[in-house]
């Protein structure tokens, strides 16, 4: 009986559950979310470092003179030293400003007469010698003892050099000079190792170098100079491991080397026609600013140039615009002072003689005792490649202009650069053609080393004037720019009156390179910094 009751209850429950299920709407199924595909990440490309050629080859018609800072005083050798050496100060590329070089810090005391300079620590020359304060003093004393062409950067400025401690020197000046840091940036003040350079002699073929970004690994005079990155250089390593400089006989050979792919850069000096043609062919042509000047030197200690009227007559008969057009195709401009146009205090003092003023030239020559039957006779010297192969044309045109007076006869002679320099030093070129690239960018640099007695020894001391010496010295130390300007105006007036050095033209320097060469910076200092140059390769 109980089993039947239990079975009946189970049946009723089942019936009720079944009825409940039928009465409920069916459940809506939850849709399954379609997975969003994860985008495939695009890999960020790793930046490819630019590849630089290990070598850049430079061609030039210039020459190395003395690989010794105590004697070298020419543009190209200074350029080499600015890549294998460094001074306590150095120029900031692209500017006329200087910054610290191998110096760590400095201060000016004693009313501007003393420069206390601390060197960077651990600087080493290529022979392993450390550069210390003792080495700096040794170098200054060495320049003074050797007394070479550029010694005036020491003898005319520095009273004494004192070692304070291992890395600190006190340079005391004869007079306070506001631009003295620029003097410390010139090659003459670059230290060299006392263990590689003789103490009392010039070492013209020395390849030990200094403290710069490159070191010399090969030097065959007038043929090739090879520089390799200096592993001991304290600064940023050069982008180009090796610089090869090849020397060419003349501008024609230099152009052929560029077009044949033998060199990457042609630098000092191509002919004006070459520059125009190469630019039209797609080569990179860069031009420097223009503080580069050319001039005639007349040695006043020798006849006939001991007579001021003779010098003035040559200045009057010279026709600068004709020179600029006929020889240089308008790539240079006439210059009437040693201080270049565009530099403060420039004054066109030689315009008083005119250009090609044969009437004035004849008058002056007659006053000096010359005539058509008793002509002035002299030899004009030039160097055939250092300033480019246009130099022969320049000398020939000057001869033509002077002889147009009918009272002058000119013999023209030439000598290769190193011989030419040596002859000038020994007063064997009474009338000679020269050019000037700035040591430091200031009117002082275009007057003092030319006109100050003894400071012009590199030209064979062609002129001396004690009254002018005093003005040059006063202008050098004056802190007031207006006063300096007045003094330089007077100095230029005296220059034109005495005419020992006659300005001819002001020009630009051009550098031509193949495609892909970059990092060439030309500024008023006009020196190529090889360590900034590079050539991109694929």
């Amino acid at each position: 009986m109980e089993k039947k009751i239990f079975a009946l209850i189970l049946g009723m429950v089942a019936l009720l559950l079944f009825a409940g299920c039928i009465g409920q709407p069916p459940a809506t199924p939850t849709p399954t979310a379609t997975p969003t595909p994860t985008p495939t990440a695009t890999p960020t490309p790793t930046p490819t470092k630019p590849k630089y050629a290990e070598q850049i080859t430079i061609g030039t018609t210039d020459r190395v003179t003395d690989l010794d800072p105590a004697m070298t005083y020419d543009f190209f050798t200074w350029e080499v030293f600015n890549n294998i050496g460094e001074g306590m100060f150095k120029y900031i590329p692209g500017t006329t400003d200087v910054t610290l070089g191998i110096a760590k810090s400095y201060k000016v005391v004693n009313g501007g007469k003393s420069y206390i300079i601390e060197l960077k620590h651990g600087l080493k020359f290529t022979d392993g010698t450390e550069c210390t304060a003792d080495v700096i003093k040794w170098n200054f004393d060495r320049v003074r003892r050797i007394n070479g062409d550029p010694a005036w950067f020491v003898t005319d400025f520095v009273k004494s050099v004192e070692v304070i401690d291992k890395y600190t020197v006190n340079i005391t000046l004869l007079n306070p000079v506001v631009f003295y840091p620029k003097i410390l940036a010139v090659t003459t003040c670059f230290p060299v190792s006392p263990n590689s350079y003789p103490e009392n002699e010039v070492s013209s073929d020395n390849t030990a170098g200094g403290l710069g970004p490159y070191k010399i690994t090969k030097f065959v005079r007038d043929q090739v100079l090879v520089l390799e990155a200096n592993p001991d250089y304290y600064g940023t390593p050069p982008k180009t491991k090796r610089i090869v400089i090849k020397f060419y006989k003349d501008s024609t050979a230099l152009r052929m080397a560029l077009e044949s792919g033998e060199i990457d850069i042609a630098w000092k000096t191509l002919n004006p026609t070459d520059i125009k043609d190469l630019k039209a062919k797609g080569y990179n042509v860069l031009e420097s600013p223009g503080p580069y000047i050319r001039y005639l030197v007349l040695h006043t200690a020798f006849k006939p140039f001991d007579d001021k009227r003779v010098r003035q007559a040559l200045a009057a008969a010279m026709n600068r615009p004709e020179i600029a057009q006929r020889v240089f195709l308008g790539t240079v401009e006439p210059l009437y002072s040693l201080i270049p146009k565009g530099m403060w205090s420039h004054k066109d003092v030689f315009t008083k003689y005119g250009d090609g003023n044969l009437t004035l030239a004849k008058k002056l020559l007659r006053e000096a005792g010359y005539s058509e039957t008793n002509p002035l006779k002299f030899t004009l010297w030039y160097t055939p490649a250092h300033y480019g192969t246009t130099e022969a044309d320049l000398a020939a045109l000057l001869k033509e202009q002077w002889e147009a007076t009918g009272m002058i006869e000119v013999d023209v002679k030439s000598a290769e650069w190193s011989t030419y320099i040596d002859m000038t030093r020994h007063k064997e070129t009474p009338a000679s053609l020269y050019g000037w690239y700035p040591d430091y960018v200031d009117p002082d640099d275009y007057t003092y080393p030319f006109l100050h007695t003894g400071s012009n020894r590199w030209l064979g001391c062609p002129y001396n004037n004690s009254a002018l010496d005093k003005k040059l010295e006063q202008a050098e130390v004056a802190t007031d720019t207006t006063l300096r300007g007045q003094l330089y105006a007077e100095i230029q007036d005296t220059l034109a009156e005495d005419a020992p050095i006659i300005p001819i033209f002001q020009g630009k320097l051009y550098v031509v390179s193949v495609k892909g060469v970059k990092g060439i910076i030309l500024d008023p200092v006009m020196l190529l910094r090889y360590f900034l140059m590079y050539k991109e390769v694929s």
Side-chain angles (χ1 to χ4, degrees):
M1 184 64 179
E2 291 177 357
K3 289 180 181 180
K4 288 181 180 181
I5 294 171
F6 182 75
L8 181 59
I9 294 171
L10 287 175
M12 291 174 67
V13 170
L15 182 61
L16 289 170
L17 288 173
F18 177 75
C21 289
I22 295 218
Q24 297 292 326
T28 303
T30 304
T32 305
T34 304
T36 304
T38 303
T40 304
T42 303
T44 303
T46 304
T48 304
K49 289 185 177 181
K51 294 181 180 179
Y52 304 137
E54 287 199 352
Q55 176 175 309
I56 287 179
T57 304
I58 302 171
T60 183
T61 61
D62 219 327
R63 295 291 184 268
V64 168
T65 53
D66 302 284
L67 283 173
D68 189 330
M71 178 56 78
T72 186
Y73 200 15
D74 69 284
F75 174 83
F76 182 71
T77 313
W78 271 37
E79 178 174 289
V80 171
F81 263 103
N82 272 267
N83 287 280
I84 64 171
E86 191 166 293
M88 287 175 276
F89 288 81
K90 60 183 178 181
Y91 278 91
I92 301 170
T95 77
T96 58
D97 300 323
V98 294
T99 187
L100 294 175
I102 62 171
K104 180 180 179 182
S105 64
Y106 79 105
K107 58 183 177 180
V108 184
V109 297
N110 190 23
K113 291 180 67 173
S114 294
Y115 282 71
I116 299 176
I117 301 174
E118 181 185 1
L119 301 172
K120 289 181 171 71
H121 298 194
L123 299 172
K124 288 187 178 181
F125 296 100
T126 55
D127 64 4
T129 303
E130 186 179 10
C131 183
T132 62
D134 285 322
V135 171
I136 296 296
K137 176 176 170 53
W138 181 87
N139 273 268
F140 273 82
D141 292 346
R142 178 177 185 263
V143 169
R144 188 184 295 274
R145 284 193 302 272
I146 290 176
N147 198 30
D149 290 345
W152 70 276
F153 288 114
V154 173
T155 58
D156 289 14
F157 287 97
V158 179
K159 180 180 180 181
S160 63
V161 179
E162 175 191 359
V163 174
I164 295 177
D165 58 39
K166 184 176 181 180
Y167 297 110
T168 309
V169 292
N170 180 8
I171 301 174
T172 300
L173 306 181
L174 294 166
N175 298 290
V177 178
V178 293
F179 55 84
Y180 188 64
K182 291 186 176 181
I183 300 298
L184 290 175
V186 304
T187 297
T188 314
C189 299
F190 287 14
V192 292
S193 171
N195 291 318
S196 290
Y197 279 79
E199 189 171 11
N200 299 306
E201 299 175 2
V202 177
S203 186
S204 295
D205 292 326
N206 200 315
T207 58
L211 297 165
Y214 284 103
K215 63 179 182 178
I216 299 175
T217 57
K218 182 179 181 181
F219 176 50
V220 181
R221 184 168 287 278
D222 298 342
Q223 294 183 35
V224 68
L225 176 68
V226 180
L227 310 180
E228 300 273 356
N230 180 5
D232 293 322
Y233 181 57
Y234 74 88
T236 304
K239 290 185 177 180
T240 302
K241 179 181 178 182
R242 184 183 309 106
I243 299 292
V244 176
I245 301 168
K246 294 185 176 181
F247 302 93
Y248 293 91
K249 180 181 179 180
D250 53 34
S251 300
T252 301
L254 179 61
R255 174 177 175 166
M256 290 175 62
L258 182 68
E259 293 186 302
S260 68
E262 185 176 319
I263 60 176
D264 301 301
I265 296 172
W267 171 233
K268 285 193 80 264
T269 305
L270 290 165
N271 288 323
T273 52
D274 293 331
I275 293 167
K276 291 184 176 181
D277 290 347
L278 291 168
K279 189 172 185 178
K281 288 184 176 182
Y283 287 89
N284 294 323
V285 178
L286 292 88
E287 62 182 54
S288 72
Y292 158 52
I293 67 171
R294 296 296 310 282
Y295 49 89
L296 168 71
V297 181
L298 302 174
H299 205 301
T300 62
F302 295 92
K303 292 184 178 299
F305 307 120
D306 59 339
D307 190 326
K308 180 171 68 174
R309 294 167 297 187
V310 168
R311 304 193 298 268
Q312 291 174 337
L314 295 180
M318 181 185 293
N319 190 327
R320 295 170 183 81
E322 184 181 31
I323 290 169
Q325 291 300 321
R326 280 182 56 182
V327 179
F328 297 97
L329 306 180
T331 58
V332 304
E333 57 182 321
L335 181 65
Y336 299 91
S337 176
L338 286 178
I339 297 176
K341 292 180 181 179
M343 182 172 287
W344 67 275
S345 79
H346 166 84
K347 185 178 180 182
D348 285 328
V349 287
F350 274 83
T351 52
K352 71 177 186 177
Y353 296 111
D355 281 291
N357 188 344
L358 300 185
T359 301
L360 176 58
K362 290 178 182 180
K363 176 179 179 294
L364 290 164
L365 288 169
R366 287 194 181 95
E367 290 176 1
Y370 298 97
S371 65
E372 286 80 0
T373 57
N374 179 36
L376 167 70
K377 297 180 181 181
F378 67 92
T379 299
L380 173 65
W381 285 90
Y382 74 94
T383 187
H386 181 75
Y387 300 110
T389 47
T390 51
E391 201 68 0
D393 297 330
L394 172 60
L397 183 52
L398 284 170
K399 170 183 168 70
E400 178 185 319
Q401 291 175 351
W402 290 328
E403 291 185 344
T405 60
M407 300 170 65
I408 300 175
E409 293 181 6
V410 183
D411 184 23
V412 177
K413 293 184 179 181
S414 66
E416 292 295 332
W417 178 242
S418 57
T419 303
Y420 191 68
I421 283 283
D422 194 56
M423 290 174 67
T424 300
R425 289 169 181 163
H426 291 89
K427 303 177 175 60
E428 297 173 14
T429 58
S432 55
L433 294 173
Y434 269 92
W436 185 257
Y437 314 91
D439 303 322
Y440 48 98
V441 185
D442 189 272
D444 180 80
D445 190 47
Y446 288 86
T447 51
Y448 198 101
F450 294 91
L451 305 172
H452 191 273
T453 304
S455 300
N456 53 14
R457 65 176 67 85
W458 60 282
L459 286 174
C461 300
Y463 175 71
N464 66 81
N465 181 328
S466 58
L468 190 64
D469 287 347
K470 292 178 180 178
K471 286 186 180 179
L472 288 163
E473 292 163 4
Q474 186 180 356
E476 196 170 62
V477 301
T479 57
D480 181 75
T481 304
T482 301
L483 174 58
R484 290 190 79 202
Q486 292 172 354
L487 289 167
Y488 285 124
E490 295 172 13
I491 288 165
Q492 289 170 91
D493 287 337
T494 302
L495 165 68
E497 176 63 24
D498 287 356
I501 300 174
I502 301 172
I504 305 174
F505 64 84
Q506 178 173 339
K508 298 178 180 180
L509 291 182
Y510 293 86
V511 57
V512 182
S513 72
V514 299
K515 298 292 185 182
V517 175
K518 299 182 179 180
I520 299 174
I521 295 179
L522 290 176
D523 54 35
V525 182
M526 306 180 92
L527 301 171
L528 283 187
R529 283 83 165 189
Y530 308 151
F531 52 87
L532 296 177
M533 301 189 312
Y534 60 96
K535 182 180 178 181
E536 290 183 345
V537 294
S538 55

